[in-house]
């Protein structure tokens, strides 16, 4: 394989292993009340709270049917709640509960531990360089994906 044929494989495999490790670390954390997949939603809400399901879907990349089920489960777990949008009663907003907000500390701790694993042996310059390359690749893919919307 040439170098340009490996990137997709590496990214897919990194994503898979990252999710597995995140779930493993979460399972070892006695106060964690969510899974890695649910963490995508919570982390979007930790950044901006509240949000609509559409906003969360865009930020997480989760399909609407998957997202709906996960939002319902997070509500049942007491980590989020829904309410009507103040400007558009047809829309629902999803908000963090106090318990959902408290889970951010656990998410941050596990993310830091996972980053330590991911970047093991990298210099600070190498970390920056890798992140810059990945950001450029992401920007390229986001630009290309706009062509197929709607």
């Amino acid at each position: 394989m040439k170098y340009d044929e490996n990137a997709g494989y590496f990214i897919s495999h990194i994503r898979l292993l990252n999710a597995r490790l995140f779930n493993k670390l979460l399972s070892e954390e006695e106060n964690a009340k969510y899974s890695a997949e649910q963490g995508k939603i919570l982390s979007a809400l930790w950044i901006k709270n509240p949000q609509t399901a559409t906003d969360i879907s865009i930020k997480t990349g989760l399909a609407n049917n998957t997202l709906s089920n996960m939002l319902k489960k997070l509500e049942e777990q007491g980590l989020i709640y829904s309410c009507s949008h103040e400007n558009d009663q047809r829309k629902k907003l999803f908000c963090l509960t106090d318990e959902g907000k408290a889970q951010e500390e656990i998410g941050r701790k596990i993310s830091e531990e996972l980053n330590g694993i991911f970047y093991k042996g990298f210099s600070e310059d190498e970390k920056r360089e890798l992140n810059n390359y990945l950001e450029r690749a992401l920007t390229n893919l986001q630009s290309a994906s706009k062509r197929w919307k709607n």
Side-chain angles (χ1 to χ4, degrees):
M1 263 188 218
K2 295 185 301 190
Y3 73 91
D4 59 340
E5 295 171 343
N6 288 328
Y9 167 79
F10 289 139
I11 290 169
S12 294
H13 209 67
I14 288 167
R15 184 174 179 233
L16 173 72
L17 290 173
N18 188 68
R20 285 182 183 166
L21 280 170
F22 197 90
N23 269 324
K24 175 80 172 120
L25 295 170
L26 269 174
S27 72
E28 294 171 355
E29 181 66 45
E30 70 180 64
N31 294 321
K33 298 187 176 177
Y34 63 95
S35 69
E37 284 297 308
Q38 291 173 325
K40 291 178 185 178
I41 296 167
L42 291 174
S43 121
L45 288 169
W46 292 330
I47 293 167
K48 182 181 179 225
N49 182 41
Q51 292 189 55
T52 65
T54 301
D55 293 335
I56 295 169
S57 176
I58 290 167
K59 293 204 174 48
T60 62
L62 294 169
N64 286 337
N65 59 342
T66 302
L67 180 63
S68 295
N69 291 334
M70 291 176 75
L71 288 169
K72 182 179 178 189
K73 178 86 171 150
L74 285 166
E75 280 191 272
E76 290 168 0
Q77 291 170 257
L79 298 175
I80 66 169
Y81 65 94
S82 60
C83 60
S84 295
H85 193 284
E86 61 186 33
N87 298 329
D88 187 345
Q89 296 301 309
R90 297 169 295 167
K91 291 183 182 178
K92 230 186 211 186
L93 287 174
F94 293 90
C95 310
L96 291 165
T97 63
D98 288 340
E99 185 66 31
K101 291 175 187 173
Q103 291 293 300
E104 183 175 8
E105 184 178 327
I106 293 166
R108 185 173 321 204
K109 176 185 167 208
I110 291 170
S111 290
E112 286 174 9
E113 189 173 347
L114 201 49
N115 279 341
I117 294 167
F118 184 88
Y119 289 112
K120 183 179 178 184
F122 282 67
S123 70
E124 291 303 315
D125 286 342
E126 288 171 327
K127 290 178 190 178
R128 273 191 295 281
E129 191 174 354
L130 175 60
N131 288 338
N132 287 337
Y133 289 139
L134 291 172
E135 186 176 16
R136 280 175 43 196
L138 177 61
T139 299
N140 292 342
L141 292 170
Q142 287 172 329
S143 294
S145 70
K146 292 175 185 173
R147 295 186 352 213
W148 294 289
K149 284 192 176 175
N150 298 333

